[in-house]
Amino acid sequence: MATTKSKASTKVLEDLFLDGMKDIYYAEKKITKALPKMAKAAESEELAAGFEKHLAETETQVERLEQAFELMGKPARGKTCPAIDGILEEGEEIMQEYKGAPALDAGLLAAAQSVEHYEIARYGTLIAWAEQLGMGEVAELLKATLAEEEATDEVLTQLGESGVNERAMQEAA
Ligand SMILES: [Fe+2]
């Protein structure tokens, strides 16, 4: 057993896990609002289609989290996540500052990839904690979502390499 410093609070892993679930629930719901804006802003049809596809997945991810809360016997409630708020704000900035610019799509793609990486980090941790806490069914739900986030990240990388980044180097016509 690792030695520990004295603790002032009685909060345990289960509390941390529940807070993390509320955080990602808030984040997923915010993402369902951001993706349609990003799809509308994207110049490339492939990128817009990628955002639309991930919007449908994200709606399912929200439902999976609701199922997970139900399995835990807790109400599905979000908790403000300043990290996702900040990442999405940066995406908004790109939309405003690069409107009509060749680099718009590359910027949108990067913003979306930051969202995915944040989610991948969070789901990875939550899966480990769910398993540690013996919540196998909850872990399975989270794993299904993690696989979608990873696949989306991969699609975004491919879109960047297959033209979006190159077009960002061109002067506006
Ligand atoms: Fe997600």
Side-chain angles (χ1 to χ4, degrees), residues 110-133:
Q113 220 157 12
S114 300
V115 170
E116 293 314 310
H117 289 187
Y118 176 74
E119 292 187 287
I120 289 166
R122 282 300 162 121
Y123 279 111
T125 298
L126 289 169
I127 290 164
W129 288 348
E131 285 173 346
Q132 180 70 39
L133 291 163

Side-chain angles (χ1 to χ4, degrees), residues 150-163:
E150 286 171 342
T152 301
D153 181 42
E154 186 55 37
V155 166
L156 289 169
T157 295
Q158 283 164 12
L159 281 172
E161 288 170 354
S162 69

Side-chain angles (χ1 to χ4, degrees), residues 28 31 54 58 61 116 119 123 145 149:
E28 293 288 15
I31 294 163
H54 196 53
T58 304
Q61 294 172 358
E116 293 314 310
E119 292 187 287
Y123 279 111
T145 294
E149 312 294 23

Side-chain angles (χ1 to χ4, degrees), residues 43-154:
E43 293 284 343
S44 146
E45 277 175 29
E46 290 94 339
L47 186 58
F51 290 154
E52 294 284 357
K53 179 173 183 264
H54 196 53
L55 170 62
E57 284 173 345
T58 304
E59 282 161 356
T60 305
Q61 294 172 358
V62 168
E63 285 166 20
R64 274 194 207 111
L65 288 173
E66 285 164 355
Q67 286 172 40
F69 279 111
E70 205 174 315
L71 284 168
M72 292 160 66
K74 303 279 183 196
R77 215 168 274 157
K79 181 181 182 189
T80 305
C81 166
I84 201 71
D85 283 345
I87 291 170
L88 293 175
E89 251 170 58
E90 285 190 359
E92 294 269 352
E93 268 177 32
I94 296 282
M95 280 187 247
Q96 287 164 17
E97 292 171 17
Y98 285 81
K99 199 174 179 197
L104 172 69
D105 279 2
L108 286 174
L109 192 154
Q113 220 157 12
S114 300
V115 170
E116 293 314 310
H117 289 187
Y118 176 74
E119 292 187 287
I120 289 166
R122 282 300 162 121
Y123 279 111
T125 298
L126 289 169
I127 290 164
W129 288 348
E131 285 173 346
Q132 180 70 39
L133 291 163
M135 297 180 186
E137 275 183 274
V138 171
E140 288 311 309
L141 287 167
L142 300 176
K143 280 183 195 171
T145 294
L146 177 60
E148 288 174 355
E149 312 294 23
E150 286 171 342
T152 301
D153 181 42
E154 186 55 37

